Amino acid sequence: YHKNRIKETMLSWIDNGVRVISMQPAADHFVYYPDYPDEKLECDISFVGGYWSYKGQNLSKYIFPLTNPVGKYKMKVFGTGWGIPQYCGVTDDDTVRKLFNSSKICPNISEPHANKFGFEVNERVFKISACKAFCISDRIASLTEDVFTQREMPIAKDEKDFIKKVEFFIDKPELRKKHAEACYNTVMQGHTYCHRIYDLLNSLGYSEEADKCLEVLYGN
C-alpha cells in the first residue's frame, strides 16, 4: 500500500513494535514502456486480466456491457476464465505492452474490496501508464489521493459513469493523449519499481545503493 495508508492497514503491527515499510505495486519500466502500435492488435478497448467469481462482480458491471452488442466496440480481452466473444486467450508481457499501445482505451477494473476500502491500487494502472497508453479506472480512493493527485487519470465514480466516459473519450484522440502523457510522467517520476527499491534501501540505511536505483532509472 501507499505510505499514506500504512496506519489504516498495518496499525496492529505498528502497535506491536514492528517497523512497517510501504511497498506499493508500481511499473516495471524495463518491460512496460511506450511501443509501436501493432495493426493486428489495434482495437477500441482492451483488457488484460483473469475472470473469477469474486472479481466478476465488478467485471460484469464494467466490462460486460461493452461487449454487447458484439461489434459496437472493437474489443480484445486476454487472460483466463472468460467466456465472451471478444476473448483472445492468454498472452505474454511483450504482447500486452503492444496491445496497450494499440488500444484507444485500456480500462482498469479492481476487485470489490478496493472500491469499498480505498487503499488497494493494483499494478495494472502503473503498467498502462508506463506504456503511455490511455486508462479509465474505477474509483479507488488511494489512486486519486496518493498517486494521480492532479486528475491525470479519468476515474469513473460507478459503472454508469464508466460507460459514459468510454463513450466520451473513444473519439477524442488528443484528449486521450493528454491524459496518457500526464499519467506517464507521474509514474516515471515516482512509481516505477526503481523508486520502490530506492525507498526500501533508504529505509534500511543503504543510501548509496538506493541512489544507484535512480541512476538505473534516469541514466545518470
Side-chain angles (χ1 to χ4, degrees):
Y1 310 116
H2 190 275
K3 61 183 180 181
N4 293 344
R5 306 289 165 165
I6 291 301
K7 285 188 177 180
E8 65 185 286
T9 58
M10 300 292 174
L11 186 57
S12 293
W13 290 93
I14 296 170
D15 286 345
N16 280 280
V18 177
R19 183 185 176 201
V20 178
I21 299 171
S22 171
M23 184 56 70
Q24 187 179 30
D28 180 351
H29 75 290
F30 297 107
V31 177
Y32 290 92
Y33 50 82
D35 204 343
Y36 293 104
D38 184 334
E39 62 179 11
K40 295 179 181 178
L41 296 171
E42 287 182 356
C43 58
D44 296 322
I45 302 165
S46 69
F47 185 82
V48 182
Y51 180 95
W52 58 90
S53 58
Y54 176 61
K55 190 173 182 179
Q57 296 176 49
N58 273 353
L59 295 174
S60 63
K61 294 188 295 185
Y62 286 86
I63 297 298
F64 282 11
L66 301 173
T67 68
N68 187 31
V70 175
K72 180 179 180 179
Y73 297 112
K74 187 176 181 180
M75 290 185 64
K76 295 184 184 296
V77 176
F78 291 86
T80 57
W82 294 89
I84 56 176
Q86 295 84 355
Y87 177 57
C88 300
V90 296
T91 189
D92 55 30
D93 288 330
D94 287 340
T95 303
V96 172
R97 181 183 67 246
K98 291 182 179 295
L99 175 68
F100 288 159
N101 286 127
S102 303
S103 308
K104 293 180 181 178
I105 298 175
C106 305
N108 176 62
I109 308 301
S110 310
E111 295 183 354
H113 65 270
N115 306 130
K116 180 178 180 179
F117 297 110
F119 49 69
E120 183 175 291
V121 177
N122 62 31
E123 192 180 39
R124 185 184 297 107
V125 292
F126 299 109
K127 291 179 177 179
I128 294 171
S129 298
C131 291
K132 205 180 285 189
F134 176 73
C135 179
I136 301 174
S137 180
D138 57 353
R139 186 179 63 83
I140 310 115
S142 185
L143 185 62
T144 54
E145 295 172 7
D146 304 320
V147 181
F148 298 112
T149 61
Q150 304 300 314
R151 303 172 67 90
E152 301 98 319
M153 182 174 289
I155 306 296
K157 59 185 178 182
D158 55 32
E159 60 270 29
K160 292 181 180 179
D161 187 46
F162 175 77
I163 300 300
K164 289 180 180 178
K165 280 182 166 53
V166 169
E167 294 173 345
F168 175 78
F169 283 104
I170 197 76
D171 293 321
K172 294 180 172 59
E174 291 304 316
L175 196 53
R176 295 198 308 269
K177 180 180 179 182
K178 179 180 178 180
H179 280 287
E181 289 180 344
C183 289
Y184 173 82
N185 290 336
T186 293
V187 166
M188 295 307 294
Q189 289 168 8
H191 297 284
T192 72
Y193 281 114
C194 284
H195 292 102
R196 299 292 183 261
I197 300 303
Y198 171 84
D199 291 339
L200 174 62
L201 291 175
N202 264 326
S203 297
L204 297 174
Y206 298 106
S207 58
E208 291 185 10
E209 290 80 357
D211 290 340
K212 292 179 182 178
C213 293
L214 298 190
E215 289 176 12
V216 170
L217 177 61
Y218 296 117
N220 295 329

